[in-house]
Amino acid sequence: MQSSRDNHSTLAERFNKDEARVSWHDQTLWWIRQKRDKAAWSLGEEWEGLRSQASQIKAHTLSNLSGYLEEFEANAIANGAIVHWAADAKEHNEIVHKILQDNKVTQLVKSKSMLTEECHLNPYLETHGIDVVDTDLGERIVQLANEAPSHIVLPCIHWKKEEIGELFHKHLATPAGNADPSFLTNAARIHLRDKFLTRRVAITGVNFAIAETGEFVVCTNEGNADMGAHLSDVHIACMGIEKLIPLRRHLGVFLRLLARSATGQPVTTYSSHFRKPRQGQQLHIVLVDNGRSQQLAKEDFRNSLKCIRCGACFNTCPVYRRSGGHSYHTAVAGPIGSILAPNLDMKQYADLPFASTLCGSCTNVCPVKIDIHDQLYKWRQVLTKEGYSPKTKTVAMKTMAATLSKPGLFSFAGKWARRIMRIAPWLVNNKMNPWYKQRNMPAAPKQSFTEWYKTNRNKDKK
Amino acid sequence: MTVGLFLPCYVNQFYPQVGVASLELLEKLGCDVVYPLQQTCCGQPMANSGYEHLSSATDELFMRNFHEFDYIVSPSGSCALHIKHHLHGKDHEASAKVRASMYELTEFLTDVLKVEHLDAKFPHKVGLHQGCHGQRGLMLSQMSELVAKPFSKLEKLLGMVNGIELVDLDRKDECCGFGGTFCVMEEAVSAKMGKDRVSDHTRNGASFITGADMSCLMHLEGILKRQKSAVEVKHIAEILNAG
Ligand code: SF4
């Protein structure tokens, strides 16, 4: 599903073959960005203050992460939960599988969890004969289509409603040609209700884990996490270790920011607190590192762990809106994904920090004030120094640096470039020049400014 | 007041009229403008591509050309931002001084010269393109993502031009997609971003697109010309110096 070896630029080019669709994708996400703006403005001056508070709470938590993790673990155990620690994706998947084996279960429901996407839990469990049903509507849609989510909050944002109608017709036997959203939602609800009632194990993600109380909070709009968890005999909650916040009263800051940033709602429909297992129920919490402590150790990139996965940086990103989530070939796409992924695998994701114009809009919308575009810039330097840049680019850059550091050579090259463009424009106006594909080259003037200046202003000076 | 004028390398070669307009405008406003002839480039093309380590020679050259000026002015938000944030010459103290002396043209006009009046005329409908580096990097204007009071150094200056009519855009500060080497490495997305930006301006009736960064405008111009559009690009210095 996500094993594509093509880089962002190639995948984006493919996405752009259908320009009308790109415009539709762009406008859909821009509409969400506008809803976010409205919600932010509705809080007036308080908004920027909330962002600062959230950023500082996370900074404090990250600087004391080990202590808060131990506190959380102790409190969760005292509440009756079973706590597991996973160093990486593989361990995480094995832990979940072991719980299923211990309970002799081969079927489960799962609500939205980007962590399990990051760990590729679904394919892992499927190869072990486990049937996983995603219960978030958007996730169920991409699951039926055998695709990965293209957005962390809106997994099937790249699907049009008519296409969903067809998909449901094929898989859920809805009438052909029916693309009415409420009808389709209802059909999905009936289909999922049966799964909820028959599955004994439910996996959920975690939005916030509170060290002080050992509880965790799951935010959804569909209530599917609650339905799954409450009907299950075994509830497994999977979380990255950065999901922690110290105190319960900090939650208000984050809940107010999360939904407003994500969809423009004042708060998610369900913000469900899980503290103790029901009598007879097992509650497992799997705490996953998977590169996070490594990221924590990198001063330039540490802040990326503040992320609360609201998706606002996706919706505002002019590149994401026009390249689609799958062009990032990683579970968490968009600007934040582009600074998280290289930490996991520099070689495979060396292209992502370059899939940006560094416009800075992501940094401005981020509710926890991650300096996303500065980190993209910094990743570019790291990746180049580590040798993950294409050789041809290195040669080109060295030539450029050499030319630009010698004024004489620069004037000479500039003059000849302009002359060639005038005499033989076909040398640059051809298919080999990516600029020329959809854009004309600038006209080449006879005189550079330097030449003009020498004749018009600088007659007596050298 | 003596001002060192720094021109982006591509402006020097391809848009000399922007250099002329910047120079004349500053002179009209009473500045003694010096253009060091040995200048080339700020080094940003290398740095943004991940080759910051190759830009030490251009950094040194920049230092040689500009270290003695109290004010260095450039008609480019992007180059000014790069110098302000990433110029690291061997002499740390002198580098810090150069970084602090660097101004983008419009901010120099509003913040240092405190221009309140201009003798310019441009009786046309104009769309303002906010270059991201100038806007979000140098804060030349308020950004649509932030909840804060609106202001715009560029609009303030354009407001002093006789006869000009600024058109409202649907997306007032979306990136145009130029992005340095991004424009060729990510050609498909870059061109689509540019086309969308152009159509916002044309849809809203602009006859000219202006901005503080010629790189964005060069990209938009390439698209306009390909579409055989009658809409033209003009650097803000050309408009402020017009008439
Ligand atoms: S980086 Fe910021 S804006 Fe992007 S998903 Fe995370 S919290 Fe949201």
Side-chain angles (χ1 to χ4, degrees):
Chain A
M1 258 182 346
Q2 282 181 341
S3 59
S4 166
R5 292 286 137 200
D6 288 329
N7 65 18
H8 181 273
S9 152
T10 308
L11 294 165
E13 191 180 344
R14 211 170 290 153
F15 188 72
N16 273 269
K17 289 247 147 64
D18 183 351
E19 190 176 347
R21 193 179 184 94
V22 176
S23 297
W24 164 80
H25 191 260
D26 164 64
Q27 281 152 17
T28 309
L29 287 151
W30 181 256
W31 178 65
I32 298 163
R33 153 77 206 270
Q34 285 176 308
K35 291 209 295 182
R36 171 259 170 219
D37 289 354
K38 243 188 171 166
W41 277 91
S42 74
L43 292 190
E45 279 171 13
E46 209 190 341
W47 180 256
E48 301 302 335
L50 270 181
R51 288 177 69 219
S52 299
Q53 276 185 31
S55 187
Q56 286 165 22
I57 294 169
K58 282 285 183 183
H60 167 84
T61 314
L62 290 170
S63 332
N64 301 280
L65 192 58
S66 56
Y68 282 125
L69 280 168
E70 281 172 356
E71 187 185 341
F72 174 76
E73 182 191 34
N75 288 328
I77 291 171
N79 291 339
I82 303 159
V83 178
H84 309 260
W85 297 85
D88 54 22
K90 186 168 168 278
E91 268 188 35
H92 162 265
N93 294 347
E94 287 165 0
I95 289 167
V96 172
H97 187 216
K98 173 92 180 9
I99 300 171
L100 298 174
Q101 281 178 323
D102 290 349
N103 285 281
K104 302 193 177 46
V105 166
T106 56
Q107 295 179 318
L108 60 89
V109 285
K110 180 161 80 67
S111 70
K112 203 141 133 280
S113 147
M114 283 319 296
L115 178 80
T116 59
E117 290 293 335
E118 173 189 321
C119 296
H120 302 295
L121 178 68
N122 283 16
Y124 174 87
L125 290 181
E126 275 153 27
T127 58
H128 288 84
I130 311 281
D131 176 45
V132 183
V133 172
D134 280 314
T135 59
D136 173 87
L137 179 56
E139 286 220 308
R140 186 65 185 146
I141 290 167
V142 290
Q143 191 183 29
L144 288 174
N146 198 23
E147 275 186 359
S150 70
H151 187 293
I152 55 175
V153 173
L154 312 156
C156 69
I157 193 70
H158 60 295
W159 279 72
K160 294 192 178 186
K161 61 177 195 282
E162 294 75 19
E163 294 160 350
I164 297 169
E166 270 173 48
L167 185 79
F168 278 18
H169 173 61
K170 195 168 142 210
H171 292 275
L172 310 183
T174 54
N178 193 331
D180 176 52
S182 28
F183 176 81
L184 295 177
T185 308
N186 205 37
R189 205 169 264 164
I190 294 164
H191 155 76
L192 287 172
R193 179 103 359 161
D194 167 61
K195 311 286 178 198
F196 281 126
L197 290 170
T198 52
R199 301 311 195 250
R200 286 179 44 228
V201 174
I203 296 182
T204 68
V206 168
N207 288 89
F208 304 100
I210 302 164
E212 174 191 32
T213 58
E215 77 196 293
F216 59 90
V217 177
V218 183
C219 303
T220 72
N221 276 332
E222 298 166 22
N224 57 311
D226 308 74
M227 180 85 92
H230 294 317
L231 288 171
S232 71
D233 299 335
V234 181
H235 175 185
I236 309 172
C238 303
M239 59 176 272
I241 52 172
E242 84 286 14
K243 292 284 163 207
L244 231 54
I245 54 173
L247 301 175
R248 196 190 235 177
R249 67 184 166 84
H250 292 149
L251 200 58
V253 174
F254 292 97
L255 290 181
R256 294 182 75 195
L257 286 165
L258 177 63
R260 285 186 172 88
S261 300
T263 57
Q265 294 165 264
V267 71
T268 38
T269 314
Y270 300 87
S271 305
S272 308
H273 295 236
F274 294 91
R275 187 162 183 175
K276 290 181 180 182
R278 199 182 61 234
Q279 203 156 38
Q281 191 192 33
Q282 292 171 37
L283 174 60
H284 296 265
I285 301 172
V286 190
L287 292 158
V288 186
D289 186 324
N290 203 34
R292 285 162 177 76
S293 21
Q294 192 182 312
Q295 189 92 323
L296 190 63
K298 295 178 183 146
E299 206 182 329
D300 283 345
F301 303 116
R302 175 178 304 157
N303 270 345
S304 62
L305 294 173
K306 292 180 178 175
C307 176
I308 57 170
R309 302 287 193 270
C310 72
C313 58
F314 290 54
N315 307 338
T316 203
C317 177
V319 176
Y320 172 87
R321 279 188 260 115
R322 293 175 184 83
S323 70
H326 292 149
S327 64
Y328 294 79
H329 56 92
T330 173
V332 179
I336 180 68
S338 301
I339 56 176
L340 293 175
N343 176 55
L344 286 175
D345 186 341
M346 281 205 219
K347 187 162 186 257
Q348 197 181 346
Y349 301 117
D351 56 326
L352 295 185
F354 294 91
S356 161
T357 59
L358 306 181
C359 79
S361 187
C362 46
T363 301
N364 276 352
V365 292
C366 179
V368 286
K369 290 194 160 187
I370 301 172
D371 51 342
I372 306 173
H373 75 293
D374 286 334
Q375 292 194 32
L376 288 167
Y377 178 89
K378 287 174 185 161
W379 266 118
R380 291 180 184 189
Q381 313 308 326
V382 173
L383 290 163
T384 303
K385 276 204 187 139
E386 299 278 333
Y388 294 112
S389 219
K391 281 211 178 62
T392 46
K393 192 171 164 194
T394 305
V395 172
M397 284 297 152
K398 281 192 173 152
T399 313
M400 190 177 208
T403 312
L404 292 174
S405 59
K406 296 182 190 70
L409 184 57
F410 169 73
S411 303
F412 176 81
K415 193 180 231 152
W416 276 98
R418 280 182 282 115
R419 197 167 283 177
I420 288 167
M421 282 167 68
R422 283 199 307 276
I423 302 168
W426 45 269
L427 266 177
V428 284
N429 295 346
N430 62 49
K431 277 202 203 119
M432 299 292 287
N433 174 3
W435 174 280
Y436 188 70
K437 228 172 130 188
Q438 302 187 65
R439 287 163 291 212
N440 283 14
M441 293 290 286
K446 283 214 170 92
Q447 234 182 7
S448 69
F449 176 82
T450 307
E451 288 159 354
W452 177 92
Y453 187 79
K454 278 182 183 162
T455 33
N456 290 282
R457 283 291 188 284
N458 204 37
K459 285 179 203 124
D460 3 285
K461 300 176 213 160
K462 205 220 119 209
Chain B
M1 181 185 289
T2 304
V3 166
L5 178 65
F6 172 68
L7 289 189
C9 45
Y10 61 92
V11 166
N12 181 11
Q13 294 299 334
F14 293 106
Y15 296 98
Q17 72 276 19
V18 175
V20 175
S22 308
L23 176 81
E24 289 181 351
L25 181 63
L26 288 166
E27 285 176 343
K28 267 191 216 168
L29 293 166
C31 299
D32 183 10
V33 186
V34 179
Y35 175 79
L37 287 168
Q38 300 299 309
Q39 62 179 283
T40 59
C41 170
C42 64
Q44 181 176 205
M46 282 88 78
N48 277 5
S49 307
Y51 294 82
E52 203 178 65
H53 57 285
L54 291 182
S55 61
S56 54
T58 44
D59 280 1
E60 288 310 320
L61 180 64
F62 194 94
M63 290 296 297
R64 275 204 298 284
N65 285 319
F66 289 100
H67 72 274
E68 56 195 28
F69 293 100
D70 289 333
Y71 297 100
I72 308 161
V73 176
S74 180
S76 162
S78 194
C79 301
L81 179 71
H82 181 75
I83 293 296
K84 268 182 198 262
H85 284 191
H86 301 291
L87 176 90
H88 298 290
K90 280 192 212 104
D91 183 337
H92 296 294
E93 211 173 302
S95 302
K97 182 188 164 256
V98 167
R99 288 197 298 269
S101 312
M102 187 74 226
Y103 291 87
E104 182 277 331
L105 177 67
T106 61
E107 68 177 351
F108 182 72
L109 299 188
T110 58
D111 301 358
V112 180
L113 297 182
K114 308 219 184 291
V115 171
E116 294 294 340
H117 170 81
L118 280 170
D119 220 1
K121 195 168 128 205
F122 197 75
H124 302 283
K125 283 184 141 189
V126 175
L128 172 60
H129 172 69
Q130 304 276 7
C132 301
H133 289 169
Q135 193 204 13
R136 298 197 182 81
L138 298 174
M139 296 182 204
L140 299 181
S141 58
Q142 187 348 56
M143 299 148 257
S144 64
E145 300 90 5
L146 300 181
V147 178
K149 277 208 193 78
F151 72 90
S152 167
K153 296 180 185 179
L154 286 84
E155 279 178 31
K156 185 179 175 194
L157 292 167
L158 289 170
M160 299 174 198
V161 176
N162 281 318
I164 197 168
E165 189 187 331
L166 282 180
V167 303
D168 283 330
L169 300 174
D170 298 334
R171 300 186 191 178
K172 62 180 175 147
D173 54 9
E174 172 130 311
C175 176
C176 68
F178 171 69
T181 45
F182 180 88
C183 73
V184 287
M185 304 302 280
E186 288 269 1
E187 183 275 332
V189 178
S190 171
K192 177 63 178 149
M193 285 168 73
K195 286 198 255 179
D196 289 352
R197 218 64 313 274
V198 159
S199 77
D200 195 351
H201 287 269
T202 51
R203 186 168 64 235
N204 286 295
S207 312
F208 290 87
I209 302 177
T210 193
D213 251 304
M214 210 53 219
S215 51
C216 311
L217 296 178
M218 170 169 75
H219 165 67
L220 297 177
E221 181 189 54
I223 287 162
L224 285 165
K225 282 193 179 161
R226 181 60 56 90
Q227 295 174 346
K228 303 201 169 21
S229 165
V231 175
E232 290 176 42
V233 301
K234 281 250 181 274
H235 189 275
I236 192 166
E238 296 178 89
I239 295 183
L240 301 180
N241 188 49

